[in-house]
Amino acid sequence: MTKTVSTPITMKLIEEAAEELKNWGKWGPEDHIGTLNYVSPEDVVRAASLVRTGKVFSLAIDFDNKGPQGGKTKFPPVGRFNPVHTMLRSGTDAYSGILDKRGIRSADDLVLLPLQAATHWDGLGHIFYKDYMWNGYDCREVSSFGAAKAGIEHVRDRMVGRGVLLDIARHMGVECLEDGFAITNEILDAACASQNVTVGRGDFLLVRTGQMGKQHKLGHWDGYPGGDAPGLAFETLYWLHEKQVAAVATDTWGVEVRPNDSDANQPWHWICIPIMGLTMGEIFFLDELAAACAADKTYDFMFVAPTLPITGAVGGPVNPMAIR
Amino acid sequence: MTKTVSTPITMKLIEEAAEELKNWGKWGPEDHIGTLNYVSPEDVVRAASLVRTGKVFSLAIDFDNKGPQGGKTKFPPVGRFNPVHTMLRSGTDAYSGILDKRGIRSADDLVLLPLQAATHWDGLGHIFYKDYMWNGYDCREVSSFGAAKAGIEHVRDRMVGRGVLLDIARHMGVECLEDGFAITNEILDAACASQNVTVGRGDFLLVRTGQMGKQHKLGHWDGYPGGDAPGLAFETLYWLHEKQVAAVATDTWGVEVRPNDSDANQPWHWICIPIMGLTMGEIFFLDELAAACAADKTYDFMFVAPTLPITGAVGGPVNPMAIR
Amino acid sequence: MTKTVSTPITMKLIEEAAEELKNWGKWGPEDHIGTLNYVSPEDVVRAASLVRTGKVFSLAIDFDNKGPQGGKTKFPPVGRFNPVHTMLRSGTDAYSGILDKRGIRSADDLVLLPLQAATHWDGLGHIFYKDYMWNGYDCREVSSFGAAKAGIEHVRDRMVGRGVLLDIARHMGVECLEDGFAITNEILDAACASQNVTVGRGDFLLVRTGQMGKQHKLGHWDGYPGGDAPGLAFETLYWLHEKQVAAVATDTWGVEVRPNDSDANQPWHWICIPIMGLTMGEIFFLDELAAACAADKTYDFMFVAPTLPITGAVGGPVNPMAIR
Amino acid sequence: MTKTVSTPITMKLIEEAAEELKNWGKWGPEDHIGTLNYVSPEDVVRAASLVRTGKVFSLAIDFDNKGPQGGKTKFPPVGRFNPVHTMLRSGTDAYSGILDKRGIRSADDLVLLPLQAATHWDGLGHIFYKDYMWNGYDCREVSSFGAAKAGIEHVRDRMVGRGVLLDIARHMGVECLEDGFAITNEILDAACASQNVTVGRGDFLLVRTGQMGKQHKLGHWDGYPGGDAPGLAFETLYWLHEKQVAAVATDTWGVEVRPNDSDANQPWHWICIPIMGLTMGEIFFLDELAAACAADKTYDFMFVAPTLPITGAVGGPVNPMAIR
């Protein structure tokens, strides 16, 4: 039976979890990918066998200036802004005839993209525990020059496997879980049971709270980025550790429940990334996938979510694919 | 038997091809994805069945400041530069203690990315034919505000299917084809035969020239971006049309052979994108995949290459997956 | 007596003004700077003689992420955002010891700056009249490659001369003029009289409405960018033409009164930039300067406002100096 | 008589200079501008009196993609690249008619600008001495969030005063001083004498080596950024300290002589910025100004060089004005 943890999440509980869940050195002293090591080639083969209908779901939101970073909020994530897309050359240039001296009429473009502005993976260099990062590396390995250890480029070919959706909102019979609602280990187990699905070693776990759908319905992102949200309880770290999942992602801004009810800010993050080496995904669009899963009562699928391999990055923008 | 076309590629030949290969309206007046329509759900299911070993290949180069846009060249692609990655917050900030008032030690980052700087899909808004773009849309649909038609966001869930590698360099017995070497329909057919693979409706075709490997061996990208290269002959447009491929990509900067031996600059592009609606991929890293294919003489695989869905974009940065 | 113009500003009135105020060719067929030609070296010498106390006023707002582009508004200027400042290397890197292998501890930084985001000059390529830009050049001279004519780099050494402040808010006895309040020629004349100052050939005219001070007092920029504002009436084009001013700037987002009461959007702009070649400045901080002018009843000064010479730019970020 | 210092510049000499030249606390514990405090309002009045002909010189190079950061060099300054200028809206959009629904035809643009890419001031947060920055502040005051102390915004109204050009190349009878040529105190004194000019308290000193002219003649910037150069000898720190200059700038990339002949990299920088609080300017275009000064044998002038007040910046892009 998985350990449960009562709130508030004190520093003592955080330090205890750091001791109990530490994966440092588990995959050698030079590891850069943490729990993604749980995925074996056999898992990839099995994952492919889950493709039954050929229907593909993109789990990315739009990468544009209407994104979540424009939402007003109590604690906006510092430095993030919505993607800025600008043209370097366009069809109006073409129409104007000014490109013809080049012998071809073409358009080009540019994006200014905070790596965690839209749908993304948190890299293992994103969060530090005291002076350490994943695998016990010195946190100074992530400097202004980027992440010398565990940069997002290391996961370039590792984001393929079996995906499992736990649709907690549907399981609880609501459109959207309340802000501050903590998804406990007990709820995760119950959802597995009610959905008739197991979560195991090397799986990519997607957890739906309904929050993104709520924002879509509202037509704005106010309150979303950095704000209160339903999400994973601190104790789920133990559950995820036990299950040996490869990665976990949600439809919220920050996976874990907010407010945190803790001495620390984002205590779940403190452990998940630097201590466990567990990659997490944020701002995943899960509503269409969830509807399809509910329709045929099948909650696992092939999952392929390769980020751009930006050298030394601590965030990985991604358009994740669920293939059923 | 597929039509052959002699060089030089005159305007007359280009206009003839425009007549003969035009797919405008084929998928309705509101289509945004062109030949990607050839991929059916059944194709996706069959593609998944090609996953035999669970080995995953990333076909992206590194997204960083050592990329091809730094190569000196005769005709550098205007406005493109290597990705600029910069940190918004770092582990040295963490170490310095200045983040502790936030209650969490985290790093964040930002990229400035010309969309065609590294491995990418050309969107269907990238090239114009006279005053038109794909499907006969007015080229002014691609303005400084981005592509109002056929933006890259429309392909968000369409880049999944059967991949086929034609390793022309290996087929010809060389490390790298010469600059200016035109891959003809005859060569494509011969490579299919010698590799014992077929190319058909809805396939994602990858063509290896060896040029990227040559640059890697040289240790620099001089001559690569916008320069001379081996590549597809103009007549291959007819071959690709006949085969009804979904998309085509190469390890070169621009897919088609350079110099072009033509009245136009990049004549193959003139037809491929705006007339046929055929998505093309550029700067794909194919060497490791090719070695694996050669080793077990199996040249088809599951291919998943989802670009970031940047609204209105004409280029799509991507980390393509070949899953065998 | 200067011509007056009644509202609404119909297309007929705009076309009439275009005929009557057109300066095309006045400074030759290759001119790039328009009315800045009015400033003579003698004017610069005389301007320097206005430096009496040695007190220097910066007329720029802060260039940062708290700027006006963050203000919510009915018609936000498309594509503009607040400056994004990010570090390439920092003192926390230094403290962390990671720079010591370079033999020097240094910081560096980067800005992403829409050129009209904060205090700026509108370049003569910023506004078009039908298919024309300043001096009758084809508007296609301003393409995605920048302004081939009248780029901001041409004014690099021309932004020096006599400055005159007309403090209309103070003249009218209010802290801030109302939104929609049109400053007419009559008011300009009356302000000159009450301030005991003349405006003439080659002068840089600064007009204070009080709007920026109002926003500062409110503590936010909502309503400011692209919104309603007090400002110059359409007829002031005739006044400025007659006076032969070199340039005009205000503390508002767009100089002219809003709403425009016109068939056109921003009718004053239609004439000012492309027809007259009159450079205008926007988002100038005038409150401290105005207080000093009021204190010693001296409203002219030396004015030096050199923009960065960004080749081909249509906007010129600037930190203008009023030296008294 | 000013102290002279023999090379090599050992750590002992650097530490000695740090003791002898330290200005920490001189202008109070909260100072942000260092030696710019030397400029008094009376100096500004006197500077204005130097405007004799009304001729204005821009000392900025072009801010564009042909700038010095494109030069190949042994030690390229990390993270700097040439300014990237891109249009947000253009005259070709206007010509294409797509803007007409907005009721106005206008263009807008954006720049991506490393703050020290072109002509610029080094801010006082740019260089650290051990764990300290200017005025003895902790170097961690300059974090990823920018400079909390001595940011460039503090000098917004302080870059006005008397400019003096010392044209060392002309003084030595050469077009350009050799790389590695150290300008000593003796040479500075001799140049003052031969030019019949004095340098004193509160002056802005410009030193011409001829290097930029050499690069212009060569037509490229290879060797310039981060490379070898003529420049100020270490001992000039004592001369500048004694003279109490407000700021110093040159036509080179880094003011001081390169190679440095020192245990440290850029030893002059170690002292100049963090210890003395002396602002320095780099990549100033001095050739036209120098020709004018030589022609009428007058080497002082009014100097106005206001940087954009980018909050928390450690570099200040600028278009400096010399007004004679």
Side-chain angles (χ1 to χ4, degrees):
Chain A
M1 158 106 201
T2 313
K3 175 169 176 173
T4 59
V5 181
S6 315
T7 54
I9 306 302
T10 60
M11 279 312 303
K12 185 161 168 302
L13 288 172
I14 293 173
E15 284 171 3
E16 203 171 286
E19 279 313 301
E20 296 172 0
L21 301 176
K22 190 174 286 183
N23 285 329
W24 296 0
K26 180 167 188 165
W27 296 284
E30 288 299 326
D31 180 69
H32 297 287
I33 64 169
T35 54
L36 292 169
N37 282 293
Y38 284 132
V39 187
S40 69
E42 295 70 38
D43 291 333
V44 173
V45 174
R46 266 194 300 270
S49 75
L50 299 175
V51 178
R52 303 163 185 110
T53 66
K55 180 92 176 71
V56 178
F57 294 84
S58 162
L59 309 183
I61 62 166
D62 294 335
F63 278 60
D64 62 25
N65 62 9
K66 297 185 184 63
Q69 306 306 325
K72 296 234 165 173
T73 185
K74 272 186 295 189
F75 304 106
V78 178
R80 296 184 195 165
F81 52 89
N82 279 327
V84 174
H85 175 237
T86 177
M87 301 301 291
L88 300 170
R89 214 158 56 248
S90 70
T92 54
D93 292 320
Y95 180 80
S96 297
I98 66 156
L99 302 177
D100 293 338
K101 62 184 173 210
R102 311 174 81 236
I104 185 166
R105 295 179 154 203
S106 67
D108 244 37
D109 43 7
L110 171 71
V111 75
L112 315 180
L113 178 63
L115 297 181
Q116 306 196 13
T119 307
H120 68 275
W121 292 114
D122 282 2
L124 293 187
H126 174 49
I127 304 285
F128 311 101
Y129 184 84
K130 300 181 179 174
D131 284 350
Y132 299 96
M133 62 179 286
W134 162 241
N135 217 29
Y137 299 128
D138 191 303
C139 68
R140 291 173 293 183
E141 297 284 356
V142 181
S143 71
S144 289
F145 302 102
K149 302 282 187 190
I152 206 79
E153 73 275 18
H154 293 287
V155 307
R156 66 197 316 149
D157 56 359
R158 306 305 294 245
M159 291 300 187
V160 180
R162 175 183 182 243
V164 176
L165 174 72
L166 291 184
D167 186 347
I168 308 301
R170 198 171 251 106
H171 169 70
M172 304 294 288
V174 297
E175 282 208 352
C176 175
L177 304 173
E178 295 291 313
D179 287 350
F181 181 89
I183 301 168
T184 60
N185 294 343
E186 192 180 356
I187 294 175
L188 291 177
D189 283 328
C192 286
S194 75
Q195 291 186 184
N196 195 28
V197 72
T198 59
V199 172
R201 190 175 195 273
D203 285 345
F204 292 82
L205 175 64
L206 310 181
V207 178
R208 180 172 170 271
T209 70
Q211 193 192 19
M212 187 182 287
K214 186 182 75 172
Q215 302 285 168
H216 281 156
K217 193 171 273 187
L218 287 170
H220 63 71
W221 293 97
D222 289 354
Y224 187 83
D228 291 343
L232 294 185
F234 185 78
E235 67 177 21
T236 60
L237 293 164
Y238 289 89
W239 194 92
L240 297 164
H241 186 70
E242 201 174 276
K243 300 293 188 193
Q244 300 190 320
V245 302
V248 61
T250 68
D251 55 353
T252 66
W253 158 79
V255 180
E256 71 184 291
V257 61
R258 300 260 298 177
N260 300 133
D261 195 4
S262 171
D263 297 350
N265 185 9
Q266 303 287 78
W268 190 90
H269 274 69
W270 284 50
I271 302 302
C272 181
I273 291 177
I275 297 297
M276 296 170 66
L278 173 57
T279 294
M280 73 177 83
E282 294 166 338
I283 317 181
F284 276 46
F285 171 63
L286 302 175
D287 290 353
E288 290 184 1
L289 173 64
C293 291
D296 63 7
K297 299 191 175 19
T298 307
Y299 284 88
D300 58 355
F301 38 84
M302 187 180 194
F303 180 74
V304 186
T307 182
L308 298 184
I310 301 168
T311 307
V314 301
V318 66
N319 177 7
M321 301 281 102
I323 313 173
R324 303 177 81 245
Chain B
M1 157 108 198
T2 313
K3 176 169 175 173
T4 59
V5 182
S6 314
T7 55
I9 307 303
T10 60
M11 279 311 302
K12 185 162 168 302
L13 288 171
I14 293 172
E15 283 171 4
E16 202 171 287
E19 278 313 301
E20 296 172 0
L21 302 176
K22 188 173 288 182
N23 284 330
W24 296 0
K26 180 167 188 165
W27 296 282
E30 289 298 326
D31 180 69
H32 297 286
I33 65 169
T35 54
L36 292 168
N37 282 293
Y38 284 133
V39 187
S40 69
E42 296 71 35
D43 291 333
V44 173
V45 174
R46 265 194 300 272
S49 75
L50 299 174
V51 178
R52 303 163 186 109
T53 66
K55 180 91 176 72
V56 178
F57 294 83
S58 162
L59 309 183
I61 62 166
D62 294 335
F63 278 60
D64 63 25
N65 62 8
K66 296 184 185 65
Q69 305 307 325
K72 295 235 164 171
T73 185
K74 273 186 294 188
F75 304 106
V78 178
R80 297 185 195 166
F81 52 89
N82 280 327
V84 175
H85 174 237
T86 178
M87 300 301 292
L88 298 171
R89 213 158 59 248
S90 69
T92 54
D93 292 321
Y95 181 80
S96 296
I98 66 156
L99 301 178
D100 292 338
K101 62 182 171 212
R102 311 174 80 236
I104 185 166
R105 295 180 154 203
S106 68
D108 243 39
D109 42 9
L110 171 70
V111 75
L112 315 180
L113 178 63
L115 298 181
Q116 306 197 14
T119 306
H120 68 275
W121 291 114
D122 282 1
L124 294 188
H126 174 48
I127 303 286
F128 311 101
Y129 184 83
K130 300 182 180 173
D131 284 351
Y132 300 96
M133 63 180 286
W134 162 241
N135 217 28
Y137 299 129
D138 192 303
C139 68
R140 291 172 293 182
E141 297 283 356
V142 181
S143 71
S144 289
F145 303 102
K149 301 283 186 190
I152 207 77
E153 73 275 18
H154 292 287
V155 306
R156 64 196 318 148
D157 56 359
R158 307 304 294 244
M159 292 300 188
V160 181
R162 177 185 182 241
V164 176
L165 174 72
L166 290 184
D167 186 347
I168 307 301
R170 198 171 250 106
H171 169 70
M172 303 294 287
V174 297
E175 282 208 350
C176 175
L177 302 173
E178 294 291 313
D179 287 351
F181 181 90
I183 300 169
T184 60
N185 294 343
E186 193 179 355
I187 293 174
L188 291 176
D189 283 328
C192 285
S194 76
Q195 290 185 185
N196 195 27
V197 72
T198 59
V199 172
R201 189 175 195 273
D203 285 345
F204 292 82
L205 175 63
L206 310 182
V207 178
R208 181 172 169 270
T209 70
Q211 194 194 18
M212 186 182 287
K214 186 182 75 173
Q215 302 286 166
H216 280 156
K217 193 172 270 186
L218 287 170
H220 64 71
W221 292 98
D222 290 353
Y224 187 84
D228 292 343
L232 294 184
F234 185 78
E235 67 177 23
T236 60
L237 293 163
Y238 289 88
W239 194 92
L240 297 163
H241 186 69
E242 201 174 275
K243 300 293 187 194
Q244 301 190 318
V245 302
V248 61
T250 68
D251 56 353
T252 65
W253 157 78
V255 180
E256 70 184 292
V257 62
R258 302 258 299 175
N260 301 133
D261 195 5
S262 172
D263 297 350
N265 185 9
Q266 302 286 79
W268 189 90
H269 275 68
W270 283 50
I271 301 302
C272 181
I273 290 176
I275 297 297
M276 297 170 64
L278 174 56
T279 295
M280 73 178 82
E282 294 166 336
I283 317 182
F284 276 47
F285 171 63
L286 302 175
D287 291 352
E288 290 185 0
L289 173 64
C293 291
D296 63 8
K297 297 190 175 19
T298 306
Y299 283 88
D300 56 356
F301 38 83
M302 187 180 194
F303 179 76
V304 185
T307 183
L308 299 184
I310 300 168
T311 307
V314 301
V318 66
N319 176 8
M321 302 281 101
I323 312 172
R324 303 178 82 245
Chain C
M1 158 101 199
T2 313
K3 176 169 175 173
T4 58
V5 181
S6 316
T7 53
I9 307 302
T10 61
M11 278 312 302
K12 186 162 167 299
L13 288 172
I14 293 172
E15 283 171 4
E16 201 172 287
E19 278 313 301
E20 295 172 0
L21 301 176
K22 189 174 286 182
N23 284 329
W24 295 0
K26 181 168 188 166
W27 295 284
E30 288 299 327
D31 180 68
H32 297 287
I33 65 170
T35 55
L36 292 169
N37 282 293
Y38 283 134
V39 187
S40 69
E42 296 71 37
D43 291 333
V44 173
V45 174
R46 266 194 301 272
S49 75
L50 299 175
V51 178
R52 303 165 185 108
T53 65
K55 181 91 176 72
V56 178
F57 293 83
S58 162
L59 309 183
I61 62 165
D62 294 336
F63 278 59
D64 62 26
N65 62 8
K66 297 184 184 64
Q69 306 307 325
K72 295 234 164 172
T73 186
K74 274 186 293 189
F75 304 106
V78 178
R80 296 183 194 167
F81 53 88
N82 280 328
V84 175
H85 174 237
T86 177
M87 301 301 291
L88 299 170
R89 213 158 58 248
S90 70
T92 52
D93 292 320
Y95 180 80
S96 296
I98 66 156
L99 302 177
D100 292 339
K101 63 184 171 207
R102 311 174 81 236
I104 185 166
R105 296 181 153 202
S106 66
D108 244 40
D109 43 9
L110 170 70
V111 75
L112 315 181
L113 178 63
L115 297 181
Q116 306 197 14
T119 306
H120 68 274
W121 292 114
D122 281 2
L124 293 188
H126 174 48
I127 304 286
F128 310 102
Y129 184 83
K130 301 181 179 175
D131 284 350
Y132 299 97
M133 61 179 286
W134 162 241
N135 218 28
Y137 299 129
D138 191 302
C139 69
R140 291 172 293 181
E141 297 284 356
V142 181
S143 71
S144 290
F145 302 102
K149 303 282 186 189
I152 207 78
E153 72 275 18
H154 292 286
V155 307
R156 66 199 312 149
D157 55 359
R158 305 307 294 245
M159 291 299 188
V160 181
R162 176 182 180 243
V164 176
L165 174 72
L166 290 185
D167 186 347
I168 307 300
R170 199 171 249 107
H171 169 70
M172 303 295 287
V174 297
E175 282 207 353
C176 175
L177 303 173
E178 295 291 314
D179 287 350
F181 182 90
I183 300 169
T184 60
N185 294 343
E186 193 179 355
I187 294 175
L188 291 177
D189 283 328
C192 285
S194 75
Q195 290 186 188
N196 195 27
V197 72
T198 59
V199 172
R201 189 176 195 273
D203 285 346
F204 292 81
L205 176 63
L206 310 182
V207 178
R208 181 173 169 272
T209 69
Q211 194 194 19
M212 187 181 288
K214 185 183 76 173
Q215 303 284 167
H216 280 155
K217 193 171 273 187
L218 287 170
H220 64 70
W221 292 97
D222 288 354
Y224 186 84
D228 291 343
L232 295 184
F234 185 78
E235 67 177 23
T236 60
L237 294 163
Y238 288 89
W239 195 92
L240 298 164
H241 186 69
E242 200 174 276
K243 301 293 187 194
Q244 301 190 319
V245 302
V248 60
T250 69
D251 56 353
T252 65
W253 158 78
V255 180
E256 71 183 290
V257 61
R258 301 259 299 175
N260 301 134
D261 195 3
S262 172
D263 297 350
N265 185 8
Q266 302 287 77
W268 191 90
H269 275 68
W270 283 50
I271 301 302
C272 181
I273 290 177
I275 297 297
M276 297 170 64
L278 174 56
T279 295
M280 73 177 83
E282 294 166 337
I283 317 181
F284 276 47
F285 171 62
L286 301 176
D287 290 352
E288 290 184 0
L289 173 65
C293 291
D296 64 8
K297 299 189 171 26
T298 306
Y299 284 87
D300 58 355
F301 39 83
M302 188 179 193
F303 180 76
V304 185
T307 182
L308 299 184
I310 300 167
T311 307
V314 301
V318 65
N319 176 7
M321 302 281 101
I323 314 173
R324 305 178 79 243
Chain D
M1 157 104 201
T2 313
K3 176 168 175 174
T4 59
V5 182
S6 316
T7 54
I9 306 303
T10 60
M11 278 311 302
K12 186 163 166 301
L13 288 172
I14 292 172
E15 283 171 4
E16 202 171 287
E19 278 313 301
E20 296 171 1
L21 301 176
K22 188 173 288 183
N23 285 330
W24 295 0
K26 180 167 186 165
W27 295 285
E30 287 299 327
D31 181 69
H32 296 287
I33 66 168
T35 55
L36 292 169
N37 283 294
Y38 284 134
V39 187
S40 69
E42 296 72 36
D43 292 333
V44 173
V45 174
R46 267 194 301 273
S49 75
L50 299 175
V51 178
R52 302 163 186 110
T53 66
K55 181 91 177 71
V56 178
F57 294 83
S58 162
L59 309 183
I61 62 167
D62 294 335
F63 279 59
D64 63 26
N65 62 8
K66 297 183 183 64
Q69 306 307 326
K72 294 232 163 170
T73 185
K74 274 185 293 188
F75 303 107
V78 178
R80 297 184 194 166
F81 52 89
N82 280 328
V84 174
H85 175 236
T86 177
M87 300 302 292
L88 299 171
R89 212 159 58 247
S90 71
T92 54
D93 292 320
Y95 180 79
S96 298
I98 66 156
L99 303 178
D100 292 338
K101 63 183 169 207
R102 311 173 82 236
I104 185 166
R105 296 180 153 203
S106 67
D108 244 41
D109 42 8
L110 170 70
V111 74
L112 315 180
L113 178 64
L115 297 182
Q116 306 197 13
T119 307
H120 69 275
W121 292 114
D122 281 2
L124 294 188
H126 174 48
I127 304 287
F128 311 101
Y129 184 83
K130 301 179 178 174
D131 284 350
Y132 299 97
M133 62 179 285
W134 161 240
N135 217 30
Y137 298 128
D138 191 302
C139 69
R140 291 172 292 182
E141 297 284 357
V142 181
S143 71
S144 289
F145 302 102
K149 303 281 187 190
I152 207 77
E153 73 275 18
H154 292 287
V155 307
R156 65 197 315 148
D157 56 357
R158 305 306 294 244
M159 291 300 187
V160 181
R162 177 183 180 242
V164 176
L165 174 72
L166 290 184
D167 186 347
I168 308 300
R170 198 170 249 108
H171 169 70
M172 303 295 288
V174 297
E175 281 208 351
C176 176
L177 303 173
E178 295 289 314
D179 286 351
F181 181 89
I183 300 170
T184 60
N185 294 343
E186 192 180 355
I187 293 174
L188 291 177
D189 283 328
C192 285
S194 74
Q195 290 186 184
N196 196 28
V197 72
T198 58
V199 171
R201 189 175 195 275
D203 286 344
F204 292 82
L205 176 63
L206 311 181
V207 178
R208 180 173 170 272
T209 70
Q211 194 194 19
M212 186 182 288
K214 186 182 76 173
Q215 304 284 167
H216 280 157
K217 193 171 273 187
L218 287 170
H220 64 70
W221 293 97
D222 289 354
Y224 187 83
D228 292 343
L232 294 184
F234 185 79
E235 66 177 23
T236 60
L237 293 164
Y238 288 89
W239 194 91
L240 297 164
H241 186 69
E242 202 174 276
K243 301 293 187 193
Q244 300 189 320
V245 302
V248 60
T250 68
D251 56 354
T252 64
W253 158 78
V255 180
E256 71 184 290
V257 61
R258 300 261 299 177
N260 300 134
D261 196 3
S262 171
D263 296 351
N265 185 8
Q266 303 287 76
W268 190 90
H269 275 68
W270 283 50
I271 302 302
C272 181
I273 289 176
I275 297 296
M276 296 170 64
L278 175 56
T279 294
M280 72 177 84
E282 294 166 338
I283 318 182
F284 275 47
F285 171 62
L286 301 176
D287 291 352
E288 289 185 1
L289 172 65
C293 291
D296 64 9
K297 298 189 174 20
T298 307
Y299 284 87
D300 58 355
F301 39 83
M302 187 178 193
F303 180 76
V304 185
T307 183
L308 299 184
I310 301 167
T311 306
V314 301
V318 65
N319 177 8
M321 301 281 101
I323 312 172
R324 304 178 80 243

